[in-house]
Each structure stands twice: as C-alpha cells, then as structure tokens.
Amino acid sequence: MKDLLRLKTSLKEEIENLLNEQIKLEAHSSSIYLAMASWCDDQGYDFSSGFFEKQADEERHHMLKIFRYVNDRGGKAISPEIVDIPKDFESFRSVFELALEQEMDVTNSLNNIADKCMMAKDYVTFQFLQWFFEEQIEEEYVARRILELFDVIGEEGTGSWEIDKHVPKIAYQAE
Ligand SMILES: [Fe+2]
Ligand SMILES: [Fe+2]
C-alpha cells in the first residue's frame, strides 16, 4: 500500500523522514520553552515566563505547519513523542543561553534539509522552507538581544528584575 501511494506523491521518502524529524524538533522546542516558562514563573520572572509561553505556542505552530505540509503532499506526518524535558535550569541567564543554542540548532537542521532538498531536486519543499528561514532570522536575533541585556544591565541588585521587564519588549524589525 505504502509503495503504491508513493507513486502518487513527488515527496521523496528521504525528505519526508527529514521533515518528520523536524516536526519532532519543533515539538521538542515547544516543550522546552514551556518548561522554561514554568521555571521563570517559579523564580518570579513573570515577563520572561510570558515570553517563553508565547515561544512555546510559536514552536507548536511551526510543528503543525510542517505536519500539514507532509500530509498535504501525500506523505504521512508522525505525531512526535517528546521526552527528556528538564524541569530545572541553572540560572536566569542560562535559560536564555539555552534558548539561543536551541534556535541555532533548529537553523542548522533546516539548513541540512534545504541541502538535501537541493540534492533530491525537491524545489517544492525547498520553497516551503523559506518561511522557516525568515522566522529563524527573527528568533535568533531576539534571543541574542535578550542575552545582551544580561551584559548591559547586569544581574546585580535589581538587575535581574530590570532584565525581566525588558524581555517582552525586544522585537525584530526587518525594515
Ligand atoms: Fe521553530
Ligand atoms: Fe524557534
């Protein structure tokens, strides 16, 4: 059945598998951001908690976008199993360091898929990925700018409180 169906889609199995891996990565990002939201809330960083909740929502949206694409192209999207989500984090700053690392991992993973799409001559998926690349510019920028707050403001005294207050104000403007 699967082989028969495969004849009816131009989505190659190799690309479908990579997209399913990406679905998992986005879902994993979403869960980690939710864990960060809870940790921040617990530590009294309410604005950062709200920020991570919003990020978690966005990652779920990314996951669904790929999920639908795979199914729409005649593939079979797999509902991801998410494991190994931490409950605790080292420090306020480390949460944002981890967030930036995570975003860079996602960009690298998307780059790898784009690479494979070129090799497989799958320009349809290659084109589909462009939206995600635009998104990564924004996400990496915001994470980097927030980390700069730690250097500029510093965490001493009421510093952490001040940093927390600035977190939701960081926005990316392409123009
Ligand atoms: Fe994402
Ligand atoms: Fe992201």
Side-chain angles (χ1 to χ4, degrees):
M1 186 66 177
K2 176 107 189 178
D3 287 347
L4 202 67
L5 285 175
R6 183 62 56 191
L7 294 174
K8 293 182 182 160
T9 173
S10 56
L11 182 66
K12 294 192 174 72
E13 200 165 355
E14 178 203 6
I15 304 296
E16 180 181 340
N17 292 342
L18 286 170
L19 290 173
N20 268 317
E21 281 301 311
Q22 191 66 27
I23 286 172
K24 206 168 178 176
L25 194 58
E26 301 288 346
H28 194 261
S29 297
S30 179
S31 283
I32 287 196
Y33 280 140
L34 211 53
M36 288 171 171
S38 187
W39 185 87
C40 285
D41 181 273
D42 193 47
Q43 299 286 315
Y45 302 125
D46 288 5
F47 290 105
S48 299
S49 178
F51 168 81
F52 283 123
E53 236 185 70
K54 214 179 107 240
Q55 291 302 112
D57 255 0
E58 279 189 20
E59 299 305 342
R60 185 177 154 75
H61 172 70
H62 297 169
M63 180 206 68
L64 280 174
K65 214 175 162 79
I66 307 169
F67 191 90
R68 290 190 190 118
Y69 174 80
V70 170
N71 281 339
D72 288 351
R73 294 290 319 284
K76 189 171 194 327
I78 297 166
S79 176
E81 193 184 343
I82 308 303
V83 288
D84 294 333
I85 301 300
K87 290 188 192 75
D88 286 308
F89 298 90
E90 243 169 67
S91 63
F92 190 28
R93 187 192 180 114
S94 80
V95 170
F96 287 100
E97 279 168 349
L98 207 65
L100 177 58
E101 267 172 40
Q102 180 170 280
E103 289 303 336
M104 291 194 297
D105 283 348
V106 167
T107 307
N108 286 335
S109 175
L110 290 165
N111 274 333
N112 178 50
I113 303 176
D115 227 31
K116 298 281 157 51
C117 284
M118 285 298 240
M119 284 193 268
K121 296 196 185 331
D122 182 352
Y123 300 110
V124 181
T125 304
F126 184 79
Q127 171 66 27
F128 166 76
L129 291 176
Q130 303 314 302
W131 183 90
F132 288 86
F133 284 123
E134 294 284 326
E135 195 73 6
Q136 285 314 110
I137 297 174
E138 181 177 339
E139 306 233 318
E140 280 192 31
Y141 172 89
V142 169
R144 252 194 318 272
R145 287 302 311 275
I146 292 174
L147 271 178
E148 280 168 19
L149 292 176
F150 283 83
D151 293 329
V152 174
I153 300 171
E155 290 181 84
E156 301 78 31
T158 55
S160 305
W161 177 81
E162 195 68 39
I163 293 167
D164 182 49
K165 229 174 54 175
H166 276 84
V167 165
K169 291 182 199 154
I170 303 263
Y172 177 71
Q173 251 142 19
E175 315 278 310

